[in-house]
Amino acid sequence: MKNNSEKSLFKKDGVNYLIPFILITSCFALWGFANDITNPMVEAFSRIFHMSVTEGTLVQVAFYGGYFCMAFPAAMFIKKHSYKAGILMGLGLYATGALLFYPAKMTGTFYPFLVAYFILTCGLSFLETSANPFILSMGGEETATRRLNMAQSFNPLGSISGMFVAMFVIQANLSSMTSEERANLSKDAFEALKDQDLSVLIGPYLIIAAVIAAVFLVLWFTKIPNTQTRVDDDNDGIVASLKRLGKNNRYVWSVVAQFFYVGVQIMCWTFIIQYGKYYLMQNGMSEGDAAKQAQLFNICAMASFIVFRFVCTYLMKYISPAKMLLIFGSIAFCLVCGVIGLTNGYGLYCLVAVSACMSLMFPTIYGIGLKDIGRDAEFGAAGLIMSILGGSVLPPLQAAIMDAGGSEHILFGMPSYNVSFVMPLICFLVIIIYSAKMIKR
């Protein structure tokens, strides 16, 4: 039985999908890079434009809003054409959004950057709506979730690259002036400093646009078989698909769980910077040094995420995905309690450990949600990608709790940074409930 399972990992109907699997998996690293160069930009844009944390999270509203708005148009495009066409369209929009950072910088204002992020993530929405179900279909049904976990293992490699670029290329070269010092500059001096910092910030985006163009050309000239389920049925449109999906409780619960998972992932990876800065500055570090040190903790969190993604992919040979989700969700819940309750800095170590628990969650929820939905895979994938909106909706709520502490950052007698992590706590509770339901099914 095990040998048959291994044979079905990259084979289906006599076709070997190993090479297509490798090529499509490269796209997972590309959107991982985009996601995790963006999270630290909340703090960077807040400093450059002298904004509050809540205003800075508009970056994520635009970023994850693009995912939400383009998911169903992407599904309709893929349904009409192919998974490969959807991936090529995604790469094109991704490169276009990245290139728009240059004219955004020339305006010297914040909002054109939000437009660039939105277009960039419309491309990411196409990529994820295409690539995830494509990977699921490149072999036997019984190995689908494991295969997606394997492909998603390369996503954090792009993520950690994005974090290194954010830290060593962008943040290391931004002006070390504090927010207060910037506020005291003359208008001309502030504009000159802003222009200098924005020139640093846009460089990596222009380079990644060139990389994406190269990947686009490789995929364009590579023949990749289409694995979509084709049905000649006049009544097989979007409304019929949505009705079938709406009656599928497992799928509906998966969309809800994915909304909260993406929200908690973005909160933990974004606000580890603010949380870490607060405690490091309490120990006498300057704001600039504390931001760099906090980014190192963020990179450690991503490293643990990468290691445990491979570990979890291996363990899925022996433990069901839903059981693993319950175990790791419960551990994450306990660690977040430590993030809230420990006010001596040790909560930062708990926050790093949370990433190890999150490593299996996105692809596992995705795989469970799309199991056995056949011809509805494109629209099912779109719904799960739309749930990425959680990364847009939930972080501003956590940021508002942080800002509610005022200049002293104290709320209910505790640091507001600690109190704000009640939001991730709620998210992990939803994931625990979801995994328990899936085990019963």
Side-chain angles (χ1 to χ4, degrees):
M1 184 73 176
K2 182 181 174 183
N3 289 337
N4 289 336
S5 176
E6 292 301 314
K7 287 178 182 177
S8 72
L9 194 57
F10 300 114
K11 284 189 176 181
K12 184 179 180 181
D13 300 328
V15 179
N16 191 321
Y17 289 96
L18 180 59
I19 299 303
F21 175 85
I22 293 169
L23 289 173
I24 301 306
T25 296
S26 68
C27 296
F28 285 69
L30 287 175
W31 74 66
F33 180 89
N35 277 289
D36 287 279
I37 195 177
T38 301
N39 291 333
M41 293 306 100
V42 172
E43 195 273 339
F45 275 114
S46 296
R47 265 204 294 158
I48 292 170
F49 289 100
H50 188 54
M51 301 183 298
S52 69
V53 177
T54 304
E55 289 174 308
T57 57
L58 286 174
V59 168
Q60 288 172 324
V61 172
F63 193 89
Y64 293 99
Y67 269 109
F68 179 81
C69 292
M70 193 51 66
F72 265 101
M76 295 171 72
F77 179 88
I78 296 160
K79 191 89 171 172
K80 183 177 180 180
H81 299 285
S82 67
Y83 286 132
K84 179 181 175 179
I87 289 168
L88 291 174
M89 177 65 80
L91 290 170
L93 287 169
Y94 185 170
T96 301
L99 289 171
L100 285 174
F101 272 68
Y102 183 76
K105 180 257 179 184
M106 298 303 291
T107 68
T109 56
F110 179 52
Y111 292 101
F113 284 97
L114 300 183
V115 174
Y117 273 120
F118 183 83
I119 292 172
L120 186 154
T121 49
C122 285
L124 300 189
S125 186
F126 260 93
L127 281 177
E128 295 210 42
T129 304
S130 307
N132 286 303
F134 201 3
I135 291 293
L136 286 172
S137 66
M138 287 182 177
E141 182 77 29
E142 67 276 13
T143 56
T145 299
R146 185 176 159 217
R147 188 164 49 254
L148 184 57
N149 267 276
M150 189 178 294
Q152 287 273 359
S153 297
F154 293 88
N155 175 269
L157 294 177
S159 296
I160 203 164
S161 299
M163 287 182 178
F164 269 103
V165 170
M167 180 177 182
F168 295 110
V169 178
I170 296 178
Q171 290 180 326
N173 292 299
L174 292 179
S175 169
S176 58
M177 262 190 197
T178 65
S179 299
E180 290 74 18
E181 289 170 336
R182 288 170 185 263
N184 293 326
L185 291 173
S186 68
K187 183 178 179 181
D188 288 343
F190 179 80
E191 290 298 322
L193 181 63
K194 182 176 68 175
D195 185 70
Q196 174 187 312
D197 282 345
L198 289 177
S199 295
V200 171
L201 187 145
I202 69 168
Y205 287 93
L206 300 181
I207 293 170
I208 195 63
V211 172
I212 295 161
V215 174
F216 180 97
L217 291 173
V218 170
L219 287 172
W220 178 275
F221 290 109
T222 302
K223 186 176 180 180
I224 300 176
N226 193 21
T227 58
Q228 286 169 280
T229 302
R230 295 294 183 185
V231 178
D232 295 324
D233 184 352
D234 292 337
N235 297 318
D236 194 51
I238 183 171
V239 175
S241 284
L242 291 177
K243 284 181 179 178
R244 287 191 293 270
L245 291 169
K247 293 176 182 178
N248 186 330
N249 287 334
R250 182 179 64 224
Y251 174 77
V252 172
W253 263 99
S254 296
V255 170
V256 172
Q258 202 72 292
F259 176 90
F260 283 95
Y261 167 68
V262 175
V264 75
Q265 176 186 292
I266 302 309
M267 287 187 284
C268 288
W269 287 352
T270 298
F271 297 121
I272 191 173
I273 306 292
Q274 281 78 6
Y275 187 95
K277 268 179 62 178
Y278 177 80
Y279 281 105
L280 294 168
M281 289 172 69
Q282 294 297 305
N283 290 328
M285 259 191 206
S286 67
E287 183 180 1
D289 289 341
K292 291 174 186 176
Q293 192 68 29
Q295 183 62 25
L296 280 176
F297 278 97
N298 200 11
I299 289 171
C300 288
M302 181 53 65
S304 71
F305 185 91
I306 292 172
V307 171
F308 273 82
R309 175 63 66 78
F310 285 102
V311 170
C312 291
T313 300
Y314 175 77
L315 290 176
M316 278 184 186
K317 292 170 68 176
Y318 309 103
I319 307 171
S320 76
K323 285 182 181 178
M324 288 188 65
L325 196 61
L326 178 62
I327 293 166
F328 280 86
S330 300
I331 295 171
F333 184 89
C334 295
L335 287 169
V336 174
C337 288
V339 175
I340 296 169
L342 296 173
T343 57
N344 55 3
Y346 287 106
L348 190 53
Y349 295 100
C350 290
L351 190 49
V352 169
V354 167
S355 285
C357 298
M358 294 193 299
S359 61
L360 83 160
M361 292 184 180
F362 183 91
T364 301
I365 295 169
Y366 201 104
I368 292 171
L370 290 190
K371 185 176 174 60
D372 297 326
I373 66 171
R375 56 182 163 172
D376 298 321
E378 293 86 1
F379 292 116
L384 285 163
I385 294 303
M386 287 179 74
S387 66
I388 287 175
L389 186 67
S392 176
V393 173
L394 299 177
L397 298 178
Q398 185 176 3
I401 295 173
M402 287 183 179
D403 287 338
S407 59
E408 298 299 318
H409 299 293
I410 301 297
L411 195 63
F412 306 122
M414 293 176 64
S416 61
Y417 294 106
N418 294 63
V419 176
S420 72
F421 276 85
V422 72
M423 292 298 300
L425 195 70
I426 293 168
C427 293
F428 282 122
L429 181 60
V430 172
I431 291 167
I432 290 169
I433 295 168
Y434 165 77
S435 55
K437 282 182 172 289
M438 295 305 105
I439 289 170
K440 285 182 181 179
R441 288 181 67 88

